[in-house]
Amino acid sequence: MTSRAEDGERASWLEVDAAALRANVVELKSLLEAGCRLGVVLKADAYGHGLEQVLDALPDEAEVIYVITAADGLRARALSRSARDVLVIGAVGPREAVALARAGVEAVVGDEGWRGWVGPLREAGARLRVHVHIDSGLGREGWRPDAIGALAELRQASDALEVVGAMMHFADTEDVTHQDYALFQLRGFDEGVRALESALGVSGLTRHAAASAATLVLPESRLDVVRVGIALYGLWPSDKTRISATLHHRVLPELRPVLSWRVVAQHVKELPAGAFVGYGCTHRCRDRTRVAVLPVGYFDGYPRAVSGRAHVLVEGRRCPVLGRVMMNHLIVDVTGVPVEGDRPLLATLIGRDGEEEVTADQLAEWAGTISYEIVARLGGHLPRRRIDAGRGSAC
Ligand SMILES: *Cc1c(COP(=O)(O)O)cnc(C)c1O
């Protein structure tokens, strides 16, 4: 497995652990009350994990799929083996609306774009199932509860648009341990749903509000379906969420990171004491140092902001990243790593190797960001390989 890259082969790849993904789905499903469905968010190429690889590994307990774009909605519909609902939560164009209706994918009325859908849907003789986005305090898509009356116009379009649900999105569940603002938003949502149902003369709309953090710590937010993103991939939304969850659950839910990022060293060599490493000469070797040049950099999604702070794992050992992260290269200190013949070194940038682990959270902390950004920005060109390792075993 640890071999040098052949012609045209990438020396760096992502591993998507199907066993960990399945375990997370089962764990998350076990938190939900009977009758509440588990929806999973596969936007941004499944948070960088690969839409195809994640769908392939997704067990049936994940009953609803959420994506942002119509193109991803159609792909998810085509690739999903079970008969799940697929819902596009982002902006949709008129031709896309027709394609979604024909494919049986649902969309969200979250802006004025829906007006442009009605004509093409009528012409096509298609009817699109839609959810209305209620803005209960994020300030992003949707209608504020007191402005829902304007959506009475949807009634005249009921031949083209069938309103089946209502959604909202929380603004401040991850960064707090007190959920006052979330509860305020839930009350606004409730008001909005009642206004919507009376404007449309319908009842029993499917209601969904909770993303990962609310699902984990705010039972009253779970409603009819939850929309779990980051937790599906085995990452906690934040430390605050983890702390809150320890108070809410007798046993802290176990989330297993799904993703690992590996790279085979391109070059290993000795540098003398006093040698400089990398752009800006920000690192100088105090002693004779064995370095490995890794053919990945910020182009691939390894953040430049971690320069001078990060380590990677090589043969189960922590190896500091020396100097600055470059566009296509990282230089790491492998002095402490035993070399066996000319076997190429395998480095782990995210994931486990032996007893050691570098998490996406750790990388995010070094970079001054959140794990969401780290995984979502992993290069689309990196191969995603499905593995089925489960806990413990690395590669
Ligand atoms: C991204 C997103 C989610 C998932 O959020 P996580 O914190 O990753 O669980 C849910 N709902 C909406 C509308 C989103 O945009």
Side-chain angles (χ1 to χ4, degrees), residues 200-218:
L200 300 179
V202 299
S203 62
L205 292 177
T206 297
R207 296 159 308 146
H208 45 112
S212 296
T215 299
L216 288 158
V217 303
L218 194 64

Side-chain angles (χ1 to χ4, degrees), residues 155 162-166 193-207 224:
R155 235 176 149 151
E162 182 191 1
V163 179
V164 296
V193 173
R194 273 184 281 121
L196 181 65
E197 290 185 337
S198 94
L200 300 179
V202 299
S203 62
L205 292 177
T206 297
R207 296 159 308 146
D224 300 319

Side-chain angles (χ1 to χ4, degrees), residues 40-43 47 66 68 89 133 138 140-141 167-170 173-174 208-215 226-233 235 237 372:
V40 294
V41 183
L42 306 188
K43 65 188 179 192
Y47 287 51
Y66 297 96
I68 290 285
I89 51 184
H133 201 141
L138 177 62
R140 206 170 72 179
E141 299 107 320
M167 68 174 284
M168 59 150 281
H169 196 34
F170 289 110
T173 47
E174 292 84 5
H208 45 112
S212 296
T215 299
V226 295
R227 300 187 307 268
V228 171
I230 199 81
L232 171 71
Y233 308 99
L235 302 171
Y372 292 75

Side-chain angles (χ1 to χ4, degrees), residues 42-73:
L42 306 188
K43 65 188 179 192
D45 202 23
Y47 287 51
H49 291 57
L51 181 62
E52 207 173 322
Q53 288 76 3
V54 167
L55 272 173
D56 198 34
L58 204 61
D60 291 343
E61 287 90 341
E63 300 167 87
V64 184
I65 290 169
Y66 297 96
V67 292
I68 290 285
T69 66
D72 276 356

Side-chain angles (χ1 to χ4, degrees), residues 268-322:
V268 179
K269 67 181 166 193
E270 307 274 337
L271 296 179
F276 290 102
V277 176
Y279 294 137
C281 295
T282 58
H283 180 83
R284 188 168 200 186
C285 302
R286 203 186 54 173
D287 305 306
R288 188 173 174 76
T289 305
R290 190 183 318 120
V291 296
V293 178
L294 307 180
V296 288
Y298 56 80
F299 167 61
D300 304 283
Y302 198 83
R304 185 172 180 276
V306 308
S307 300
R309 281 195 269 270
H311 61 252
V312 306
L313 306 178
V314 181
E315 303 286 324
R317 287 165 206 251
R318 296 180 182 207
C319 297
V321 173
L322 303 180

